[in-house]
Amino acid sequence: MVLLFWVTGFFAARLLEYAPHASLWFPPAAISFAALIVYGARIVPSIAIACILGTILVDLVDSKGTALSQLLTLGGTFALTHVGSNLLVALPMRRLAIHAKSATSLAKVSLFLLGSAVATGIGAGLGVLTLFLGGEVDVQGIGELLSAWWIGDFVALLALAPFMMLVFVKIGHMISIGIPEGISGLLVMQRDTETRSQGKLALMLGMTALILFVASQTDYTELVLFLLFIPLLIQLWIVHTENAWVSVMGVAAFALITAVATAALPLESEVLFLKFLVISLAASSYLGLAVPTLYSDNTRLRSLLTHDVLTGAMNRAFFEDFAQGDLVRVEREGGSAVLIMIDLDDLKSINDAHGHAEGDQALADLVAACEAELSGSDRIGRLSGDEFAIYLPGQNVQQAAERVEAIKRRLSSASSRGAAGQISASFGWVQRTPEHADFEVLLAAADQAMYSEKRQKQA
């Protein structure tokens, strides 16, 4: 299957050739790159055979009559440079895809964008060197051919490789080829497109085709081509409102329409501009797909800095900052607030009798019971190992007492978890007053009230 895709892409590149050895884009670069990521090094023989076969078929189509031994040498050299340059980046990216947690991340996208430029640059350099040594190009033509080859490969790889990765994952599952879980995760991007998604794609591609056609029929080509920023905006709209499969299809289709229009319409003078336009659209689209993962990572890091990992309650520093800040507001605006101190009963006994895992579960269960009774701007924080505090802005002691009773009922009615059985806690609460305006003073008073209840239990 890879062989068929590759040869088809090879002849498609021939149709888009605008100078000897220079095509508007080179789809086999994307096909090889995608196949190496999805299937790994086991696909190398198929790609190598495709390179040799493509070399022979082109010679037959052009009726050059080159000797078979020479064709095999040229094809083998091409296979070596083509496969080698793609392996350089595809295999490290494959390892990253296998071990990374998310299907699309900033690290993956950055490696893909930068690595693609490196891989295609090396491939173009080696290819041009081979042609030079074979007498196919002179010294004066090396620079122009190198830039055309490099950019053409780079555009094709950026535009088509993600699309082909999804296709190859789907094929791999259909024919039961073993694909690592991290690579298979790409399949989640292949969701059915809704009518709305199809409409957005049609709008973007229709606008692109119309602008390219009008640009080719007017003397104000550059001015009309400037309007291509509109399809770019529509594509970004797609990236941030639709699934990744739709976004990848948009990039591939935009690149295809641009390449075909450049070859079919009198737009040869704008080739470089249109290639960079495709690169810009592809890069911005893939980076856009990585934004949700980046936001998720930032949210997780922020949570680790402000919350207790075990229970999910605020850590002491963050809780105290929150409570102190709100107490300043209460003093300025008037109103009330209550601080409740909580201590899990017999945590040491639970740890000694059932192990620290059960003790950790008891702490988490206590916080879960408290959070179930919190609302609005109420907050709970973990002050030390088994001590917690709840801050209730706008509440009074009566409301705090009702809240504590609700938590106790929840704890006593909850099904026991593990060997530790039912858990209980001691509570103490104090309402903010002019005498207890400072947070530390309020905390100390609530702590005393909590230990008073604990002593009554032990009496």
Side-chain angles (χ1 to χ4, degrees):
M1 188 62 70
V2 172
L3 181 64
L4 178 61
F5 275 116
W6 201 99
V7 173
T8 302
F10 188 77
F11 278 97
R14 289 271 296 173
L15 294 175
L16 298 174
E17 194 172 74
Y18 63 92
H21 311 295
S23 177
L24 291 170
W25 64 344
F26 191 63
I31 294 168
S32 298
F33 191 87
L36 287 168
I37 288 180
V38 175
Y39 302 130
R42 60 186 166 183
I43 205 65
V44 167
S46 296
I47 299 174
I49 293 172
C51 291
I52 296 171
L53 183 60
T55 303
I56 295 173
L57 290 176
V58 167
D59 187 82
L60 291 175
V61 171
D62 294 345
S63 302
K64 291 183 177 180
T66 308
L68 181 60
S69 59
Q70 186 176 354
L71 287 175
L72 292 175
T73 300
L74 290 173
T77 304
F78 175 40
L80 184 63
T81 58
H82 178 76
V83 174
S85 60
N86 279 286
L87 278 173
L88 183 68
V89 177
L91 291 188
M93 187 169 178
R94 174 180 166 83
R95 287 194 292 270
L96 178 62
I98 291 172
H99 298 294
K101 294 181 179 179
S102 56
T104 306
S105 67
L106 188 60
K108 284 185 182 180
V109 172
S110 299
L111 178 60
F112 175 63
L113 295 177
L114 298 176
S116 298
V118 173
T120 53
I122 293 174
L126 293 175
V128 171
L129 178 61
T130 301
L131 292 175
F132 173 73
L133 295 176
E136 296 288 329
V137 61
D138 55 26
V139 176
Q140 289 75 20
I142 288 180
E144 184 177 353
L145 178 58
L146 177 61
S147 62
W149 191 325
W150 187 358
I151 297 173
D153 282 15
F154 186 45
V155 169
L157 203 156
L158 283 188
L160 290 182
F163 176 82
M164 292 307 304
M165 287 180 213
L166 301 178
V167 172
F168 286 145
V169 168
K170 183 66 173 179
I171 292 173
H173 282 276
M174 289 174 60
I175 61 179
S176 300
I177 294 179
I179 299 175
E181 184 177 350
I183 303 295
S184 297
L186 295 170
L187 193 61
V188 301
M189 300 165 67
Q190 298 193 67
R191 298 200 296 265
D192 293 334
T193 58
E194 301 176 354
T195 303
R196 181 186 61 184
S197 305
Q198 297 168 358
K200 292 177 183 178
L201 279 175
L203 176 63
M204 188 268 287
L205 300 176
M207 287 286 295
T208 301
L210 178 62
I211 292 171
L212 289 172
F213 176 77
V214 173
S216 69
Q217 304 299 314
T218 180
D219 294 332
Y220 302 100
T221 302
E222 293 183 357
L223 178 61
V224 176
L225 288 178
F226 173 74
L227 296 177
L228 285 172
F229 79 88
I230 299 175
L232 263 68
L233 291 178
I234 298 175
Q235 171 64 14
L236 292 179
W237 178 35
I238 291 172
V239 168
H240 290 286
T241 58
E242 304 297 335
N243 63 60
W245 174 240
V246 178
S247 303
V248 168
M249 284 198 301
V251 174
F254 179 88
L256 178 61
I257 289 177
T258 303
V260 172
T262 306
L265 302 173
L267 291 172
E268 293 87 354
S269 61
E270 305 298 333
V271 166
L272 189 61
F273 168 77
L274 293 173
K275 285 184 175 181
F276 276 108
L277 189 65
V278 173
I279 292 172
S280 298
L281 179 133
S284 59
S285 295
Y286 303 146
L287 288 169
L289 292 175
V291 166
T293 301
L294 184 61
Y295 284 161
S296 177
D297 289 343
N298 288 340
T299 300
R300 180 174 177 275
L301 289 173
R302 190 180 303 113
S303 178
L304 289 174
L305 289 173
T306 59
H307 288 72
D308 174 51
V309 176
L310 174 63
T311 64
M314 289 180 172
N315 61 36
R316 178 162 190 156
F318 192 58
F319 176 81
E320 289 183 353
D321 284 345
F322 174 83
Q324 287 173 343
D326 194 74
L327 286 171
V328 172
R329 179 195 62 79
V330 171
E331 183 174 3
R332 183 179 64 252
E333 300 177 1
S336 62
V338 176
L339 185 69
I340 303 174
M341 279 292 295
I342 310 167
D343 184 84
L344 179 66
D345 294 335
D346 302 319
L347 176 61
K348 185 177 184 306
S349 298
I350 295 174
N351 287 333
D352 292 343
H354 307 289
H356 286 276
E358 288 295 332
D360 290 346
Q361 185 62 58
L363 292 169
D365 289 346
L366 173 60
V367 172
C370 293
E371 288 182 334
E373 300 298 333
L374 300 185
S375 61
S377 56
D378 302 342
R379 295 292 185 271
I380 182 171
R382 186 178 184 182
L383 304 188
S384 62
D386 58 355
E387 288 190 339
F388 298 84
I390 295 177
Y391 181 75
L392 303 175
Q395 305 288 301
N396 55 39
V397 288
Q398 172 90 28
Q399 293 167 315
E402 294 173 356
R403 195 71 59 89
V404 168
E405 288 304 313
I407 294 172
K408 288 182 177 180
R409 286 195 299 271
R410 186 173 290 273
L411 288 173
S412 63
S413 64
S415 300
S416 60
R417 301 190 181 187
Q422 297 291 341
I423 61 173
S424 65
S426 300
F427 297 81
W429 57 95
V430 175
Q431 182 174 337
R432 179 211 173 269
T433 63
E435 295 78 21
H436 298 97
D438 182 74
F439 175 79
E440 295 297 336
V441 175
L442 196 64
L443 182 65
D447 193 53
Q448 289 181 4
M450 181 269 293
Y451 274 107
S452 176
E453 179 177 295
K454 185 175 286 288
R455 284 191 293 271
Q456 292 176 7
K457 288 182 178 180
Q458 294 172 348

